[in-house]
Amino acid sequence: MFGQGRWKSTFMDGIRRSQRATVASPPHVPARDLASTPTGTVASGVPVSGRGVRELIFELGSRPITADSSALIDELRDLEDLTSAISARQARVAVAFDLAQRGEQARAGVPAAERGTGVAAQVAMARRESPHKGSRLLGLAKALVKEMPRTLAELESGQLNEWRATLLVKETACLSVEDRAAVDEELAPDAGTFDGAGDKAIIAAAKAAAYRRDPRSVAQRASHAATERTVSLRPAPDTMTYLTALLPVAQGVAVYAALTRTADSVRSSGDERTRAQVMADTLTERVTGTPGGVAGVNLNLVMTDRTLFQGDPEPARLEGYGIVPAEWARALLVDEQSGFEDQVHRGREGGERREGRESRAGRERRERTERSEFAVLIRRLYTAPGSGELLAMDSKARFFPQRLRSFIHIRDNTCRTPYCDAPIRHIDHVIPWHSGGSTHLKNGAGLCEACNHTKETPGWTAKSMPGDVHTIRVSTPTGHSYKSKAPPLPGRKPTRLTN
């Protein structure tokens, strides 16, 4: 084995040796595009890729692991430093790629306001991330390379990791280039600013430094943040969901305090539910107006007939959520009352069972809930035994008919762009209509709004691939291709993507 720390320097030396040349910027990028970039900060060199990197990765993976505890900790730290250095390199490469793409688009006659379209999506695919994450990564790279050289240098040296560098960039986003550079200098990690500090301490330091430089911009940013308030829903394990609200601090604290007071009051009267359960149930009741929160639901629940009628364990898929256990799906279809409502009843009865304590309003509310039915509209869809496709539809219309749109939405489940799992907002043609694409099932795909706009950028193409499950190949302006396969339906085992 190498001596202490030598393997890391050897690995980095190998990366440097694999570079054939180093240039300050892509030679075809107009000088005016680099006018606002500090000298030397966009240096990217020839991409480190191909056989050299594969050999280095093999070398690292084949190195034996010692049994010495102290050496193992040292190696973990070295690996973390190496990860940070690679993140810094990715930032420089992303900025160089952005400049190269803008130069190519300028020569192709793309208007200045539209140059750079699709760059973030290509960065995302190369890093196996969603387009939304790709936009964040490209924004981070630009800020580090062009405006925060000290933070980038400390990322390269391992004194910061990518997440902590992201925190510094995020908290200085409202500042001018000059003020941001000043904060970058003030909080330089090599001065020991963040030794032993946690994420909250880094955020606090960055906020304080930003406010000292430009209090007005920070205040305007806080005021603008209130316009971004929203509520979102995402799946959680075990047929649960995360309902998240982004609120101004005063409203958020007030909502939480109200739920807390109600929970403490209800539990003091003998309710058997936990404090957290009461808070969750109270939120549901106050928002929906009913204790159970559901009076009726329209579901697209895809499951096999064996799961429904024969007790087969093959899980089902609930549109808008994902995979659910077979037993849970059967119970949802068979039971007249949801398990959630039953839980609420048990909790309320525990607190209201004692004679004389149940108010008239509370009794009427409980009786209404007991009389309510959990009505479920089931749209049953069957797969073709051989192909695994749900069914075949065709249309000569320019726009997808509503039933076909609904069908594609159910089939694709989330955005079909590789690595993107955002909710579907658009149903569009894989091969565009203006390019001869027809309106039928195999040429349709569900996409999020951002991805649907990106695919219209010059140089982007897509086509459906032959196979037993709907598959799309997406090609980017650089000639790279990525595949996306529709998620497997219940009763259908996943198949591997092939070239």
Side-chain angles (χ1 to χ4, degrees):
M1 292 184 61
F2 283 100
Q4 177 65 30
R6 283 193 56 198
W7 70 265
K8 184 180 71 171
S9 61
T10 301
F11 189 82
M12 296 306 294
D13 287 343
I15 290 180
R16 285 189 286 270
R17 286 196 305 272
S18 70
Q19 295 178 303
R20 298 188 297 273
T22 301
V23 292
S25 63
H28 54 270
V29 178
R32 61 181 178 273
D33 289 339
L34 299 176
S36 61
T37 305
T39 303
T41 59
V42 188
S44 64
V46 174
V48 181
S49 60
R51 193 178 72 175
V53 165
R54 288 194 292 271
E55 290 176 350
L56 292 170
I57 292 173
F58 177 78
E59 167 70 14
L60 181 62
S62 61
R63 193 176 305 281
I65 297 178
T66 181
D68 185 334
S69 295
S70 177
L72 289 172
I73 290 297
D74 290 337
E75 183 172 347
L76 284 175
R77 181 55 182 267
D78 287 342
L79 288 169
E80 182 64 23
D81 291 346
L82 182 60
T83 300
S84 297
I86 291 174
S87 296
R89 175 73 183 185
Q90 286 179 314
R92 292 189 183 278
V93 170
V95 171
F97 175 69
D98 178 63
L99 292 175
Q101 285 283 282
R102 289 175 183 273
E104 293 174 9
Q105 292 171 353
R107 291 191 299 277
V110 177
E114 298 178 11
R115 294 172 195 168
T117 303
V119 172
Q122 294 183 73
V123 170
M125 290 185 183
R127 295 192 59 173
R128 297 188 177 96
E129 297 283 3
S130 69
H132 177 71
K133 181 69 175 294
S135 296
R136 290 165 49 195
L137 291 170
L138 181 58
L140 171 67
K142 289 182 177 180
L144 290 173
V145 172
K146 297 183 177 182
E147 300 176 9
M148 303 184 72
R150 293 293 296 272
T151 300
L152 177 61
E154 304 315 321
L155 179 62
E156 288 177 318
S157 68
Q159 295 188 61
L160 281 178
N161 59 25
E162 187 177 43
W163 171 244
R164 293 191 162 196
T166 302
L167 295 178
L168 291 173
V169 169
K170 179 181 178 182
E171 296 302 331
T172 57
C174 60
L175 301 178
S176 65
V177 174
E178 294 76 14
D179 286 336
R180 195 177 215 178
V183 172
D184 181 53
E185 184 72 24
E186 177 183 340
L187 300 180
D190 60 356
T193 307
F194 300 132
D195 288 349
D199 290 351
K200 291 182 179 179
I202 291 177
I203 292 173
K207 282 184 176 179
Y211 188 79
R212 285 193 296 269
R213 291 287 171 181
D214 190 353
R216 182 177 180 181
S217 293
V218 175
Q220 288 177 343
R221 175 185 175 185
S223 176
H224 175 73
T227 66
E228 299 178 350
R229 59 190 182 277
T230 185
V231 177
S232 60
L233 185 72
R234 57 192 177 93
D238 304 323
T239 64
M240 301 290 283
T241 58
Y242 294 107
L243 176 66
T244 305
L246 178 63
L247 301 173
V249 62
Q251 287 88 328
V253 171
V255 169
Y256 190 81
L259 294 174
T260 301
R261 286 194 301 270
T262 300
D264 291 340
S265 175
V266 170
R267 281 180 53 78
S268 66
S269 66
D271 197 299
E272 296 177 357
R273 289 173 293 171
T274 66
R275 189 167 181 265
Q277 289 172 342
V278 175
M279 292 176 69
D281 296 347
T282 302
L283 174 64
T284 302
E285 180 176 356
R286 291 185 178 179
V287 171
T288 64
T290 60
V294 180
V297 65
N298 183 2
L299 297 179
N300 284 322
L301 185 64
V302 184
M303 61 194 304
T304 66
D305 54 354
R306 300 185 306 277
T307 297
L308 181 59
F309 299 115
Q310 301 176 16
D312 192 272
E314 176 69 32
R317 194 179 79 195
L318 180 63
E319 184 183 4
Y321 176 82
I323 299 300
V324 295
E327 185 175 355
W328 184 91
R330 283 192 295 271
L332 180 66
L333 300 180
V334 173
D335 295 345
E336 290 185 356
Q337 299 289 336
S338 71
F340 178 67
E341 287 190 358
D342 290 341
Q343 180 181 2
V344 174
H345 291 336
R346 289 194 298 270
R348 290 193 176 279
E349 290 171 358
E352 298 177 345
R353 188 175 297 151
R354 290 170 303 283
E355 183 177 357
R357 291 198 178 183
E358 184 176 19
S359 66
R360 178 178 179 182
R363 183 173 62 255
E364 291 177 351
R365 182 170 59 248
R366 177 170 56 82
E367 290 174 351
R368 285 197 303 272
T369 302
E370 290 171 349
R371 290 194 301 268
S372 68
E373 294 183 355
F374 189 75
V376 181
L377 174 63
I378 309 170
R379 183 176 290 112
R380 291 183 290 186
L381 303 169
Y382 294 93
T383 62
S387 67
E389 291 282 4
L390 286 173
L391 49 82
M393 294 185 179
D394 203 330
S395 172
K396 296 182 180 180
R398 166 67 178 83
F399 300 101
F400 286 91
Q402 183 56 46
R403 289 189 178 183
L404 185 54
R405 293 173 61 87
S406 299
F407 180 84
I408 294 173
H409 197 291
I410 295 169
R411 181 198 66 190
D412 291 349
N413 198 40
T414 59
C415 178
R416 284 295 302 281
T417 298
Y419 308 114
C420 183
D421 57 2
I424 292 174
R425 295 288 182 254
H426 295 172
I427 303 295
D428 206 349
H429 300 78
V430 177
I431 299 176
W433 174 267
H434 58 75
S435 298
S438 56
T439 305
H440 62 80
L441 187 63
K442 290 187 178 297
N443 195 44
L447 300 168
C448 68
E449 184 173 358
C451 289
N452 195 32
H453 293 319
T454 297
K455 78 178 182 66
E456 297 299 327
T457 304
W460 287 76
T461 60
K463 65 177 181 179
S464 296
M465 304 295 294
D468 58 351
V469 177
H470 192 253
T471 303
I472 298 174
R473 181 192 291 273
V474 177
S475 298
T476 67
T478 60
H480 293 81
S481 296
Y482 306 86
K483 285 186 178 181
S484 169
K485 188 181 286 288
L489 296 167
R492 182 79 181 179
K493 293 184 179 180
T495 57
R496 295 183 60 184
L497 290 172
T498 57
N499 294 326

